Amino acid sequence: MKIYFRTFGCQMNVNDSETMAGILKNAGHEIIDTENNADAVIINSCAVRGKSERKAYGKLGRLKALKKKKNDLIIGFGGCVAEKERKKLLESHEELNFVFGTRNISQINDFIERASKGEHFTDFSDKLDELDSTTPRYRESNHHAWVTIIYGCDKFCSYCIVPYVRGREKSRKMEDIISEVRKLADNGYKEITYLGQNVDSYGNDLDDDTSLSKLIKETLKIEGIERIWFLTSYPKDFSEELIETIASSDRISKSIHLPIQSGSNKILKAMNRGYTREEYLELISKVKEKLPEASLSTDLILGFPGETENDYLETKELLKIVRYDRVNFAVYSPREGTLSARKYEDNVPHKVKTARLNELLELQKSINQEKNEQYIGKNVEIIVEGVLKDGNLYGRTITNKIVIFSGPKELIGEKAEIEIHNISAGPLRGILSTKNLQPSREH
């Protein structure tokens, strides 16, 4: 059977789709890159923001039209929207054959077989224990791999749907993760990214002293892995031990993502973030002291219920203080089922949210431009990731700076040295150095 995946949302959803595709390919199915010739289509949805949810429903609408032409097309719907809506999805969308959850992706081949026999069903069982290092995965890249190390989230931020659709935190055993990474290294993978909704919580639910820091230290012992990344961190759980570990090796990402969400203590409390502005800035100071070369990034929500002009100005001032390399901005939209949607009135006018967003976008753009000017005329080391539509190659530095240049496709997955000639508020541009860098090893 030919099967097509359409994935929305975060890298964990991408990794979930890679896992499902690997299971299906191992069972004899063919994974294809277009829905037009597919016998089955799997939608892996995201419910974090309304925009992502609408995109998933939009795709479902287009598949409904396709199914009218191809009656035997199987359509499965999974991910966070599926968890949020459950049986309502199957009841309201006759084009669906089955709906499944975020913790039973290991069952995807069984779901396809049941659907092929004419069954219409929902299944939200918890089968996370069936996923381990032996689970086949059909990865998008030949040199970089996503590796989920902890599922779920226990934070319950007032605006966030994730704990309700992803469940409580559940860490994988360290030895199983290391086994997966060893196999990746044996197969030529040079970069791995450890994933979790709150990756810093890794190990807290286990009965030993496992932690993200200890996992990274064990990963450094694996020959062939040249870069170790991790997403997504939570400020309250970002430990000094982790900072020390990152500083100990040039193979560990120097890109630190610490979502602040607001610069106002009043709003942080309403968001149930568990830290204050002052505590956050103290953490940033520790990171800058121990990792002066690191890039910093964050997430910000504008227009949270009750956000006054003064609250907004505190956020604006925090951006000026920290001077992030990247900021993911979002305007607040209530998500059904969250505490903030039940408890708070969405009382900041949309035009005010938009005005604040646009002002901070311009501020961040100017900060990015200023910070990138330091790269003019300098050489940077990247691992080449792929080809852009215009034929140029691109890669990333250890600080997660995107670099665009012209070069042979054979460089994809390899280290290269690039001399930077042009900068923008976004990517850096340069030319390939005559010197190709050889992978370094630590012993």
Side-chain angles (χ1 to χ4, degrees):
M1 190 176 290
K2 295 179 179 179
I3 301 176
Y4 169 73
F5 280 85
R6 180 64 174 94
T7 305
F8 299 91
C10 68
Q11 291 87 351
M12 290 193 71
N13 267 17
V14 172
N15 190 223
D16 284 350
S17 289
E18 289 181 336
T19 300
M20 289 187 284
I23 291 168
L24 290 169
K25 193 171 186 295
N26 193 59
H29 299 288
E30 180 183 356
I31 308 303
I32 61 174
D33 58 5
T34 175
E35 64 201 45
N36 297 327
N37 301 321
D39 301 305
V41 177
I42 307 298
I43 297 175
N44 193 358
S45 63
C46 172
V48 171
R49 296 194 179 102
K51 184 177 181 180
S52 297
E53 189 167 341
R54 289 190 294 273
K55 284 183 178 180
Y57 281 122
K59 171 56 71 175
L60 189 55
R62 290 187 288 277
L63 290 174
K64 182 178 182 180
L66 182 62
K67 193 161 186 173
K68 289 180 179 178
K69 301 176 183 177
K70 190 176 182 179
N71 293 330
D72 58 351
L73 177 67
I74 294 172
I75 303 176
F77 197 104
C80 295
V81 176
E83 287 278 6
K84 176 172 166 281
E85 299 298 330
R86 298 243 163 177
K87 289 185 178 180
K88 289 191 290 185
L89 264 172
L90 198 66
E91 294 167 355
S92 59
H93 292 272
E94 61 182 7
E95 67 273 20
L96 284 175
N97 295 81
F98 63 94
V99 179
F100 62 103
T102 58
R103 298 169 83 92
N104 61 353
I105 61 173
S106 63
Q107 301 295 298
I108 189 63
N109 188 54
D110 293 335
F111 296 158
I112 291 290
E113 289 184 359
R114 289 167 63 184
S116 67
K117 295 174 183 177
E119 188 177 349
H120 286 68
F121 59 92
T122 61
D123 192 317
F124 294 94
S125 54
D126 189 335
K127 302 288 185 179
L128 283 182
D129 287 337
E130 296 182 359
L131 298 174
D132 58 25
S133 60
T134 66
T135 303
R137 292 172 174 89
Y138 184 65
R139 301 185 187 273
E140 293 182 353
S141 170
N142 292 322
H143 71 273
H144 170 268
W146 307 107
V147 179
T148 298
I149 64 172
I150 180 171
Y151 303 93
C153 181
D154 290 352
K155 293 304 181 189
F156 290 93
C157 300
S158 66
Y159 55 83
C160 187
I161 195 72
V162 169
Y164 304 98
V165 296
R166 283 278 180 180
R168 303 305 294 268
E169 290 176 355
K170 185 178 180 62
S171 299
R172 289 175 60 186
K173 296 290 186 181
M174 185 188 292
E175 57 266 28
D176 185 56
I177 297 168
I178 293 298
S179 177
E180 180 177 345
V181 177
R182 283 201 187 99
K183 290 176 185 176
L184 288 166
D186 290 343
N187 287 321
Y189 282 82
K190 298 179 179 180
E191 297 182 273
I192 55 105
T193 300
Y194 285 138
L195 295 176
Q197 298 296 337
N198 176 17
V199 74
D200 305 323
S201 288
Y202 172 70
N204 288 351
D205 58 317
L206 299 177
D207 295 330
D208 50 26
D209 62 349
T210 300
S211 68
L212 177 60
S213 178
K214 290 180 174 62
L215 173 63
I216 291 174
K217 288 176 182 177
E218 287 300 309
T219 309
L220 286 171
K221 298 176 184 177
I222 300 174
E223 285 288 325
I225 299 300
E226 297 174 11
R227 284 189 182 171
I228 304 166
W229 307 80
F230 53 92
L231 289 170
T232 291
S233 291
Y234 194 86
K236 192 176 180 181
D237 295 337
F238 200 86
S239 67
E240 292 191 40
E241 180 191 14
L242 181 56
I243 296 173
E244 296 285 352
T245 298
I246 296 167
S248 72
S249 170
D250 60 7
R251 290 162 58 198
I252 305 172
S253 165
K254 301 303 184 288
S255 173
I256 312 298
H257 186 69
L258 291 169
I260 177 67
Q261 304 301 0
S262 174
S264 160
N265 281 335
K266 184 190 80 178
I267 299 301
L268 288 173
K269 184 176 181 180
M271 288 178 166
N272 194 34
R273 290 293 288 175
Y275 53 82
T276 65
R277 170 194 175 98
E278 292 74 22
E279 289 168 339
Y280 180 88
L281 288 174
E282 183 180 355
L283 173 61
I284 292 294
S285 294
K286 290 177 181 177
V287 171
K288 287 185 174 183
E289 179 186 355
K290 298 289 185 180
L291 300 165
E293 77 280 26
S295 66
L296 292 167
S297 57
T298 197
D299 297 340
L300 277 172
I301 297 173
L302 297 166
F304 189 84
E307 183 185 77
T308 64
E309 183 67 15
N310 283 339
D311 295 322
Y312 162 69
L313 291 175
E314 287 190 83
T315 298
K316 182 179 178 181
E317 182 64 22
L318 186 134
L319 258 65
K320 293 179 180 179
I321 294 171
V322 179
R323 290 178 62 81
Y324 296 101
D325 293 82
R326 289 170 304 282
V327 181
N328 301 320
F329 293 102
V331 295
Y332 173 79
S333 61
R335 306 302 294 134
E336 181 184 359
T338 63
L339 178 62
S340 66
R342 296 193 304 268
K343 186 176 179 181
Y344 304 123
E345 179 187 356
D346 185 15
N347 58 1
V348 180
H350 182 72
K351 66 179 182 179
V352 174
K353 294 178 184 177
T354 303
R356 291 173 180 173
L357 170 67
N358 290 335
E359 184 176 18
L360 293 194
L361 281 169
E362 286 302 311
L363 171 61
Q364 186 58 37
K365 184 177 179 181
S366 67
I367 292 172
N368 287 350
Q369 185 78 23
E370 290 172 11
K371 296 191 74 150
N372 284 350
E373 285 174 359
Q374 67 180 302
Y375 289 94
I376 286 287
K378 292 185 178 180
N379 284 12
V380 297
E381 177 186 315
I382 65 169
I383 290 182
V384 185
E385 291 192 15
V387 184
L388 298 171
K389 290 181 180 179
D390 63 5
N392 283 317
L393 300 180
Y394 72 96
R396 294 175 194 269
T397 68
I398 195 69
T399 60
N400 205 22
K401 287 284 185 183
I402 297 176
V403 180
I404 298 172
F405 68 102
S406 177
K409 293 181 180 179
E410 290 75 18
L411 284 174
I412 293 173
E414 300 296 330
K415 280 188 176 180
E417 188 173 286
I418 308 297
E419 183 180 339
I420 304 302
H421 284 190
N422 295 296
I423 61 101
S424 66
L428 308 175
R429 292 178 179 271
I431 61 172
L432 184 65
S433 170
T434 55
K435 178 177 68 173
N436 274 327
L437 301 176
Q438 297 300 316
S440 61
R441 290 286 184 268
E442 293 181 5
H443 301 283

